[in-house]
Amino acid sequence: MSNPRGIPATPFLENIEAFIKDEEGADQALAKMQENHSKYKLMEMSLTKSKQNLNNKIPELRQTLDAVKTLQGKHEANESMTTNFELTDGFYAQATVSPSTVCLWLGANVMVEYTFQEATTLLTGNLEAAEKNMANLIEDLAFLKDQITTTEVNMARVFNYNVKQRRKLREAK
């Protein structure tokens, strides 16, 4: 069993004794559980980092989309616009522009010129994809937290069972 994006689920162990017999002993079972716990924690760290990146990207996409719509409005009203732009670090110039197209940074030092409609379509699609990814990340993180908790409870139960069994063996001697 797993979630829709393939993160495996950890079942709650009802019968510890049967589980330990299947796993060749408590130490072996604990080692496997610890390995799974480490994998879950690593996935959690990775997804948390992705979530932080999206938390930065989504507002940036919204701002860019708003800017494109503002420029499009100026173009449709046949108005010019006064703006400041950075020439170098801390050095700005003022210009009056009559926008007819928009240029977007795509990354990797690539800038592409788009019509307003193309830019709006691209940015809207990117924003929707980012919001969908954010929803999936939130769902995955909640699922992972449940799996981590279940794994920790199972590990504690196996450890406690092992301690009780060892105590019984000592008392029997």
Side-chain angles (χ1 to χ4, degrees):
M1 187 170 85
S2 64
N3 81 340
R5 280 156 299 286
I7 299 172
T10 295
F12 179 75
L13 301 177
E14 297 289 339
N15 188 344
I16 300 295
E17 187 174 349
F19 176 75
I20 289 176
K21 286 180 184 176
D22 290 343
E23 293 294 324
E24 302 172 9
D27 293 332
Q28 190 75 4
L30 282 171
K32 286 182 181 179
M33 287 182 192
Q34 185 61 45
E35 181 181 340
N36 286 340
H37 184 265
S38 296
K39 289 177 183 177
Y40 283 138
K41 290 301 251 182
L42 184 64
M43 280 188 264
E44 182 183 39
M45 285 176 25
S46 174
L47 291 178
T48 300
K49 186 174 181 176
S50 295
K51 182 181 174 188
Q52 289 171 342
N53 290 340
L54 280 176
N55 275 334
N56 294 333
K57 184 178 182 180
I58 289 173
E60 186 177 306
L61 284 168
R62 284 190 180 122
Q63 287 175 336
T64 305
L65 189 56
D66 288 344
V68 168
K69 288 178 180 178
T70 299
L71 290 172
Q72 184 176 15
K74 294 285 185 183
H75 175 70
E76 289 170 357
N78 207 18
E79 296 178 14
S80 60
M81 184 171 131
T82 302
T83 185
N84 295 315
F85 60 94
E86 189 172 18
L87 293 176
T88 64
D89 289 337
F91 188 68
Y92 293 86
Q94 194 173 57
T96 302
V97 294
S98 299
S100 58
T101 59
V102 65
C103 295
L104 299 176
W105 283 107
L106 298 181
N109 293 327
V110 175
M111 181 184 275
V112 178
E113 185 175 8
Y114 291 100
T115 65
F116 292 115
Q117 184 59 42
E118 292 170 334
T120 302
T121 302
L122 175 70
L123 291 169
T124 302
N126 288 352
L127 181 60
E128 289 171 356
E131 289 172 340
K132 181 180 177 191
N133 287 342
M134 179 63 83
N136 288 342
L137 282 172
I138 291 169
E139 181 183 319
D140 288 350
L141 282 167
F143 182 79
L144 269 174
K145 286 181 191 283
D146 289 344
Q147 300 319 301
I148 289 169
T149 301
T150 302
T151 301
E152 289 170 348
V153 168
N154 285 342
M155 287 169 53
R157 292 182 71 218
V158 168
F159 181 81
N160 290 340
Y161 177 82
N162 192 29
V163 168
K164 285 180 186 177
Q165 293 303 317
R166 288 182 183 179
R167 191 175 293 150
K168 283 181 186 177
L169 283 174
R170 267 188 281 149
E171 290 172 359
K173 288 183 180 180

